[in-house]
Amino acid sequence: MNLANIKCFSMLLAALCVVQTVCLSKLAGALDGNASRESSIRRIQHFMAQKVLRSGQYQASGSRP
């Protein structure tokens, strides 16, 4: 992942913690930044379309799946 993808992923995680839903319009409203809601929705959609996260890919070492 490049820096832009890491930032988008971290902002999505923070937004998920705040709104506690997967509704794109609510997530987009909770993202930090000056972009419009529609632009944020497009960014989330693009990120999800391009990045498929495998369940075991980001586990800490020593933990079991």
Side-chain angles (χ1 to χ4, degrees):
M1 270 203 249
N2 62 22
L3 183 59
N5 289 332
I6 293 170
K7 285 182 179 181
C8 183
F9 185 60
S10 64
M11 288 186 346
L12 275 174
L13 287 177
L16 278 168
C17 291
V18 171
V19 298
Q20 298 180 354
T21 184
V22 293
C23 178
L24 288 183
S25 62
K26 290 182 181 180
L27 282 173
L31 289 179
D32 292 334
N34 298 327
S36 68
R37 184 177 295 242
E38 292 79 19
S39 179
S40 295
I41 290 172
R42 284 193 305 270
R43 182 177 186 183
I44 294 168
Q45 289 172 333
H46 179 70
F47 178 79
M48 292 297 180
Q50 298 299 317
K51 301 296 173 193
V52 177
L53 303 176
R54 291 178 286 176
S55 63
Q57 189 173 1
Y58 300 103
Q59 289 181 344
S61 61
S63 63
R64 294 185 151 185

